[in-house]
Amino acid sequence: MSSINRVVILGNLTRDPELRATAAGTSVCRLRVACNSRWRNSDTGEWDEKPNFFDVSVFGASAEACSRFLEKGRPVAVDGRLDWHEWENAEGERRQAVGVVADNVQFLASRAGAEVDAEELEEEESISF
């Protein structure tokens, strides 16, 4: 039986990207993305929300672009896969975590950025040829 390991997250960065390199020299950028879950409370009928936080790893040229152009608070769309890993900490305890390895990161416009883009578009459209 084949399996599918795919995740799509749309949310905001909770901190500035962290760029590092592997021992082999490959760029790795670490992101933390916040994404809310929303549901209707059966007792009150009101909408409730809970924040979820996801650690995302981006590799190669995409990692460098994320580090250069993204910052805390910026909305992003991440398409990738889940990755489970384990390690031993300094006290000798075994630790494990599930993170996201990004195949694609789209930089989404913030509200202020969207307004600027719309103004630039209007200026371009007003130029007659």
Side-chain angles (χ1 to χ4, degrees), residues 15-22 25-31 56-70:
R15 62 182 182 218
D16 289 337
E18 298 173 7
L19 184 64
R20 297 185 183 172
T22 65
T26 302
S27 296
V28 181
C29 188
R30 304 243 188 257
L31 310 173
V56 178
S57 298
V58 188
F59 292 88
S62 295
E64 294 170 20
C66 287
S67 174
R68 183 172 176 200
F69 296 110
L70 293 177

Side-chain angles (χ1 to χ4, degrees), residues 87-109:
W87 69 97
E88 195 171 291
N89 67 13
E91 291 81 36
E93 300 170 327
R94 294 188 72 114
R95 307 290 299 199
Q96 51 187 296
V98 175
V100 177
V101 175
D103 292 325
N104 185 23
V105 177
Q106 292 185 2
F107 307 165
L108 304 177

Side-chain angles (χ1 to χ4, degrees), residues 1-126:
M1 181 172 131
S2 60
S3 60
I4 297 174
N5 181 357
R6 201 90 216 131
V7 62
V8 177
I9 299 170
L10 180 68
N12 295 318
L13 296 182
T14 64
R15 62 182 182 218
D16 289 337
E18 298 173 7
L19 184 64
R20 297 185 183 172
T22 65
T26 302
S27 296
V28 181
C29 188
R30 304 243 188 257
L31 310 173
R32 170 145 308 164
V33 180
C35 178
N36 287 340
S37 294
R38 189 172 180 210
W39 67 94
R40 187 175 296 275
N41 185 313
S42 59
D43 296 331
T44 66
E46 300 289 322
W47 285 101
D48 286 335
E49 284 189 356
K50 178 190 124 208
N52 298 287
F53 301 95
F54 300 98
D55 291 322
V56 178
S57 298
V58 188
F59 292 88
S62 295
E64 294 170 20
C66 287
S67 174
R68 183 172 176 200
F69 296 110
L70 293 177
E71 60 187 10
K72 180 180 177 178
R74 182 85 187 262
V76 294
V78 176
D79 178 28
R81 61 185 168 79
L82 295 176
D83 182 60
W84 176 83
H85 61 280
E86 67 179 335
W87 69 97
E88 195 171 291
N89 67 13
E91 291 81 36
E93 300 170 327
R94 294 188 72 114
R95 307 290 299 199
Q96 51 187 296
V98 175
V100 177
V101 175
D103 292 325
N104 185 23
V105 177
Q106 292 185 2
F107 307 165
L108 304 177
S110 63
R111 287 191 159 173
E115 291 169 7
V116 170
D117 291 344
E119 289 172 9
E120 288 176 5
L121 183 58
E122 288 175 13
E123 286 177 15
E124 289 178 12
E125 289 177 351
S126 67

